[in-house]
């Protein structure tokens, strides 16, 4: 093939930018280029739709498939002339946490390694004579992005960056010391070399983001990519400032971060961090204190670049919306919490949606709330008691699964709104009734947001001690398998005080889109129907593929799955299986970077056994230990594709 012909065919690929093209294997790329042809008329083949074939769930007939990331699905592209192109999917990791990878300076660095406030390694000394730096088995939120005019040594194609955060580590290396929440979450920038012929991404450089200026990070869970190209992180399960003196986990966190178990301030955690990647593959970070101190799973910023819908991963959680004062700037704005109207249901067959109205909690800048966090003690803000004081100046609330009576101190409403957000929202009458509200994402074309409820239980169930009668969130019985809700987005809305909400992307109702199904344990141990979603967590929507991707955090599926749901055809397809005992994380559907489409996916804590794993544990445990560093490591990577047939018809 002549150089001019090759360049012509590559140009054709760029002309077909509407086609989602997964990164190809080296042998497949030539076949695809040949299939596209070199003539200009090839550009007339319009992309029409995509679909996924569904893979079977692995079983003990193939235990190796249950003990690793298994992909048996395919992506099928249909063109306007009804010709098709298919790609068999596969999983490609960048690394397993605990690997030594390139630091871009000629040395190596520990992937997922933990650092203290001075950026020094935190050492696991639980096994005498085998001391090593702690590293995470729980990679989570990931954003794939580009930076204008980026240049990084070692990149031969084009530089692409992935920001990856690590939520926690499950155990110390002795296998007995519980480390959940006791280490400051690391966050890293991966510089990736994008091959312009195949789309393949290769790791060139790993850079730890310095989080010392934002007081370190706390339990970073899901993440999203902002419309302006920054990584929006999270800090879930905000530590309760009123009981912090007895919180041994938080004391251990403070000791590992600062070397002093009393130094960390609980009001510095439970906020929304934002990472900006630089041209050289380094990055800076800031923490937005004005978006509410809640159990931030992740935020989804709408196309207006001002409105953020926030996942709240808690018992007695709520829908929260933040409307920034300026586009592309989350450093100041107004915080709202939703009140759910009549008719709430988790049944997708329900014919009506429950209306949402919005209570304004307050307006503030990040700087002023950080200053309050630095200077106030919880008792400066409010009084909280666990027994009825028989005093009408107190208000009864239910927050974080507990009934309390609170009294806001004079002049402290703003501090309460932004530092004690759950309690204050309940005080103001918001519907704090959901359980485990996880991922959020948006379908911009249809103006619909999607929100995952990992479980529908406890505070959602009528008669439960955590359920609040009359707050709109009430179901007759638990659905442990969870549901995905759809929220219509509209402009012209007013808050409950009658003031206009300055956004065209306000959720106005909520209705179930998909639901799991609780079952009696099957032969493998599943207590959720394995052919339906179960305990949905990560959500990402692809505009071009018209597909909602759903990652599970399930204690009911023996293997957690990654699903693709086509919102037009209503087809649900299982596209990947996670190692047994692990959780599907790090989901990011990327419609196009330099002509290529990517589906990012990680997993956490493979082999974290529960009661449902009794049938498989003895068989799978040695396999998972062999695959993932004695269960201490986990994969960060993406789905690749190989063309199944050799031509595209024009």
């Amino acid at each position: 093939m002549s150089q001019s012909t090759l360049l012509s065919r590559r140009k054709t690929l760029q002309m077909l930018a509407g086609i989602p093209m997964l990164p190809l294997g080296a042998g497949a790329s030539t076949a695809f280029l040949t299939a596209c042809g070199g003539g200009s008329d090839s550009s007339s083949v319009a992309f029409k739709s995509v679909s996924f074939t569904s893979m079977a769930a692995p079983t003990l007939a193939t235990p190796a498939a249950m003990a690793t990331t298994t992909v048996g699905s395919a992506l099928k592209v249909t063109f306007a002339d009804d010709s098709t192109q298919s790609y068999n999917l596969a999983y490609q990791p960048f690394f397993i946490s605990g690997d030594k990878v390139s630091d871009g300076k000629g040395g190596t660095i520990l992937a997922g390694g933990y650092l203290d406030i001075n950026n020094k390694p935190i050492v696991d000394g639980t096994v005498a004579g085998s001391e090593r730096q702690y590293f995470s088995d729980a990679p989570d939120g990931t954003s794939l992005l580009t930076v204008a005019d980026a240049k990084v040594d070692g990149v031969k194609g084009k530089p692409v960056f992935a920001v990856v955060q690590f939520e926690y580590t499950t155990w110390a290396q002795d296998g007995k010391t519980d480390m959940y929440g006791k280490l400051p979450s690391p966050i890293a920038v991966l510089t990736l070399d994008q091959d312009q012929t195949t789309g393949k991404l290769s790791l060139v450089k790993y850079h730890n983001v310095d989080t010392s200026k934002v007081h370190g990070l706390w339990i970073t869970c899901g993440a999203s990519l902002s419309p302006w190209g920054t990584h929006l992180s999270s800090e879930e399960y905000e530590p309760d400032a009123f009981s912090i003196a007895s919180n041994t986990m938080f004391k251990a966190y403070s000791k590992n971060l600062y070397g002093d178990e009393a130094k960390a301030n609980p009001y510095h955690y439970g906020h929304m961090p934002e990472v900006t990647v630089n041209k050289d593959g380094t990055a800076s970070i800031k923490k937005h204190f004005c978006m509410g101190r809640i159990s931030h799973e992740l935020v989804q910023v709408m196309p207006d670049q001002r409105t953020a819908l926030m996942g709240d991963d808690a018992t007695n959680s709520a829908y929260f919306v933040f409307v920034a004062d300026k586009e592309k700037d989350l450093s100041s704005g107004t915080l709202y919490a939703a009140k759910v109207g009549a008719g709430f249901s988790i049944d997708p067959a329900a014919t009506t949606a429950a209306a949402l109205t919005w209570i304004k909690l307050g307006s503030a800048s990040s700087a002023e709330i950080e200053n309050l966090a630095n200077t106030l003690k919880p008792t400066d803000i409010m009084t909280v008691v666990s027994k009825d004081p028989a005093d009408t100046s107190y208000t009864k609330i239910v927050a974080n699964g507990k009934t309390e009576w609170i009294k806001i101190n004079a002049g402290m409403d703003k501090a309460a709104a932004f530092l004690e957000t759950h309690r204050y929202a309940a005080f103001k009458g918001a519907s704090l009734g959901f359980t485990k509200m996880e991922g959020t994402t948006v379908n911009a074309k249809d103006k619909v947001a999607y929100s995952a409820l990992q479980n529908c239980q406890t505070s959602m169930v009528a008669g439960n001690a955590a359920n609040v009668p009359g707050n709109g969130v009430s179901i007759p019985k638990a659905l442990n398998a969870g549901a995905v809700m759809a929220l219509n987005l509209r402009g012209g809305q007013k808050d409950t005080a009658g003031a206009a909400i300055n956004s065209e992307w306000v959720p106005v109702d909520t209705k179930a889109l998909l639901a799991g199904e609780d079952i009696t344990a099957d032969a493998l141990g599943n207590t959720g129907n394995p052919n339906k979603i179960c305990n949905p967590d990560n959500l990402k929507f692809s505009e071009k593929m018209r597909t909602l991707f759903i990652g599970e955090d399930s204690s009911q599926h023996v293997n957690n799955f990654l699903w693709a749901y086509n919102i037009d055809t209503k087809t649900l397809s299982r596209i990947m299986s996670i190692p047994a005992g692990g959780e599907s994380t790090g989901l990011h559907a990327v419609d196009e970077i330099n002509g290529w489409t990517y589906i990012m996916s990680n997993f956490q804590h493979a082999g974290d056994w529960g009661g449902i794993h009794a049938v498989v544990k003895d068989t799978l445990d040695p396999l998972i230990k062999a695959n993932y560093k004695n269960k201490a490591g986990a994969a960060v990577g993406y789905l690749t594709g190989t063309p199944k047939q050799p031509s595209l018809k024009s």
Side-chain angles (χ1 to χ4, degrees):
M1 181 184 296
S2 70
Q3 181 71 9
S4 60
T5 301
L6 179 60
L7 291 172
S8 175
R9 293 180 179 181
R10 285 178 179 167
K11 184 176 180 181
T12 300
L13 283 178
Q14 298 302 318
M15 295 172 72
L16 295 173
I19 305 171
M21 290 166 46
L22 288 163
L24 314 177
S29 61
T30 302
F32 184 75
L33 287 164
T34 302
C36 286
S40 61
D41 61 339
S42 296
S43 63
S44 64
V45 184
F47 157 62
K48 182 179 179 182
S49 65
V50 303
S51 60
F52 290 86
T53 62
S54 190
M55 62 175 279
T59 69
L60 282 176
T62 54
M66 298 186 72
T68 189
T69 46
T70 298
V71 184
S73 51
L75 169 69
K76 181 180 178 181
V77 182
T78 301
F79 300 94
D81 62 359
D82 291 325
S83 62
T84 62
Q85 177 76 38
S86 290
Y87 304 87
N88 289 331
L89 301 182
Y91 184 70
Q92 178 64 50
F94 299 124
F95 56 78
I96 305 298
S97 58
D99 284 352
K100 289 293 187 70
V101 296
S102 172
D103 64 0
K105 304 173 186 176
T108 60
I109 192 169
L110 186 69
Y114 284 92
L115 305 171
D116 65 16
I117 199 69
N118 298 311
N119 293 304
K120 301 298 183 184
I122 302 174
V123 175
D124 179 350
T126 59
V127 178
S130 298
E131 292 80 4
R132 63 161 172 80
Q133 184 180 2
Y134 278 106
F135 60 87
S136 175
D137 67 339
D140 207 308
T142 300
S143 297
L144 193 70
L145 56 92
T146 58
V147 175
D149 302 318
K151 182 174 177 57
V152 181
D153 290 343
V155 173
K156 299 176 182 178
K158 290 186 178 181
V160 174
F161 303 101
V163 183
V164 182
Q165 58 199 42
F166 297 85
E167 187 176 4
Y168 56 85
T169 196
T170 308
W171 302 101
Q173 61 174 325
D174 64 1
K176 298 181 292 185
T177 304
D178 180 5
M179 294 305 298
Y180 178 83
K182 296 177 180 178
L183 295 164
S185 295
I187 191 163
V189 177
L190 314 183
T191 296
L192 306 169
D193 186 352
Q194 185 190 49
D195 187 301
Q196 295 306 291
T197 301
T198 67
K200 181 181 178 181
L201 300 173
S202 301
L203 179 62
V204 170
K205 173 183 175 180
Y206 183 107
H207 170 77
N208 279 314
V209 179
D210 180 0
T211 65
S212 61
K213 292 181 180 179
V214 295
H215 319 289
L217 298 179
W218 167 266
I219 311 181
T220 54
C221 195
S224 64
L225 182 67
S226 74
W228 52 94
T230 58
H231 174 86
L232 302 179
S233 181
S234 58
E235 292 185 312
E236 69 175 0
Y237 308 135
E238 79 282 14
D240 184 358
F242 281 88
S243 61
I244 209 67
S246 61
N247 188 330
T248 56
M249 184 176 78
F250 190 74
K251 288 179 180 180
Y253 172 89
S254 182
K255 178 73 172 178
N256 284 313
L257 178 60
Y258 288 107
D260 179 348
E261 68 176 22
K263 188 167 184 178
N265 176 353
Y267 284 141
H268 287 157
Y269 309 102
H271 302 286
M272 210 292 295
E274 180 177 15
V275 176
T276 301
V277 178
N278 301 321
K279 296 177 183 180
D280 61 355
T282 62
S284 61
I285 188 169
K286 52 190 170 184
K287 197 178 284 189
H288 296 294
F289 288 77
C290 55
M291 298 181 72
R293 184 172 169 268
I294 60 174
S295 186
H296 280 287
E297 172 73 18
L298 61 77
V299 305
Q300 175 63 56
V301 177
M302 301 300 166
D304 66 351
Q305 307 193 77
R306 295 174 53 250
T307 306
L309 175 63
M310 297 180 277
D312 182 24
D313 186 1
T315 300
N316 297 107
S317 56
Y319 289 125
F320 290 94
V321 160
F322 177 78
V323 181
D325 293 333
K326 300 177 183 178
E327 292 183 7
K328 306 180 183 181
D329 182 355
L330 301 175
S331 65
S332 66
T334 302
L335 180 65
Y336 300 89
K339 190 170 183 63
V340 179
F344 178 80
S345 173
I346 56 170
D347 182 359
T351 56
T352 59
L356 299 177
T357 52
W358 293 91
I359 299 169
K360 179 181 175 180
L361 301 183
S363 299
S365 70
S366 182
E368 66 179 311
I369 301 304
E370 184 175 12
N371 182 60
L372 294 177
N374 292 341
T375 56
L376 294 177
K377 295 180 175 62
T379 51
D380 295 331
I381 300 172
M382 63 175 66
T383 303
V384 177
V385 297
S386 58
K387 294 182 179 180
D388 188 350
D391 181 340
T392 57
S393 65
Y394 283 78
T395 300
K396 181 183 178 181
I397 66 164
V398 182
N400 295 308
K402 297 181 293 186
T403 299
E404 298 174 330
W405 287 259
I406 70 171
K407 180 166 65 174
I408 312 296
N409 294 343
M412 286 292 165
D413 281 78
K414 179 173 287 191
F418 292 94
L419 294 178
E420 290 289 344
T421 307
H422 278 134
R423 289 183 170 109
Y424 189 72
F427 169 80
K428 296 289 285 186
S431 296
L432 270 74
F434 297 100
T435 49
K436 300 287 291 177
M437 185 185 292
E438 303 272 0
T440 58
T441 190
V442 65
N443 166 358
K445 179 181 178 182
D446 298 333
K447 292 193 77 169
V448 175
Y450 305 105
S451 174
L453 295 173
Q454 182 188 351
N455 313 105
C456 301
Q457 57 189 22
T458 55
S459 63
M460 296 184 68
V461 181
N464 187 280
N467 181 255
V468 180
N471 79 350
V473 182
S474 183
I475 57 178
K477 66 177 182 178
L479 177 61
N480 296 321
V484 175
M485 308 300 290
L487 296 79
N488 286 304
L489 305 168
R490 301 285 185 269
Q493 303 303 302
K494 295 182 178 180
D495 66 25
T496 53
I501 300 175
N502 186 20
S503 171
E504 295 297 311
W505 296 85
V506 178
V508 296
D509 57 30
T510 182
K511 183 181 184 301
L513 176 73
L514 294 168
E517 179 187 358
D518 297 336
I519 62 171
T520 302
D522 64 16
L524 200 63
N526 294 300
T527 59
N529 187 333
N531 295 315
K532 294 184 177 181
I533 64 165
C534 194
N535 311 124
D537 188 323
N538 280 209
L539 296 182
K540 286 294 186 291
F541 185 74
S542 167
E543 295 284 345
K544 284 188 176 179
M545 289 187 266
R546 298 284 292 167
T547 297
L548 177 66
F549 294 96
I550 305 165
E552 297 181 337
D553 176 7
S554 181
S555 58
Q556 295 180 257
H557 279 171
V558 172
N559 286 87
N560 281 202
F561 305 122
L562 175 61
W563 300 89
Y565 178 71
N566 187 295
I567 62 162
D568 296 322
T569 66
K570 315 301 182 188
T571 301
L572 180 68
S573 304
R574 182 190 294 108
I575 61 174
M576 184 164 73
S577 174
I578 301 303
E583 170 189 345
S584 176
T585 65
L587 180 60
H588 185 198
V590 186
D591 277 343
E592 190 272 330
I593 288 183
N594 299 325
W596 301 95
T597 292
Y598 297 93
I599 303 169
M600 313 301 292
S601 185
N602 311 328
F603 69 81
Q604 295 182 351
H605 54 72
D608 186 14
W609 306 121
I612 65 167
H613 299 107
V615 175
V616 304
K617 177 180 176 181
D618 289 347
T619 301
L620 300 185
D621 197 59
L623 299 177
I624 290 176
K625 285 180 176 178
N627 288 341
Y628 302 112
K629 297 181 170 66
N630 202 32
K631 300 198 294 189
V636 172
Y638 66 106
L639 289 173
T640 63
T642 302
K644 187 177 181 180
Q645 55 191 59
S647 65
L648 289 173
K649 298 176 182 178
S650 59

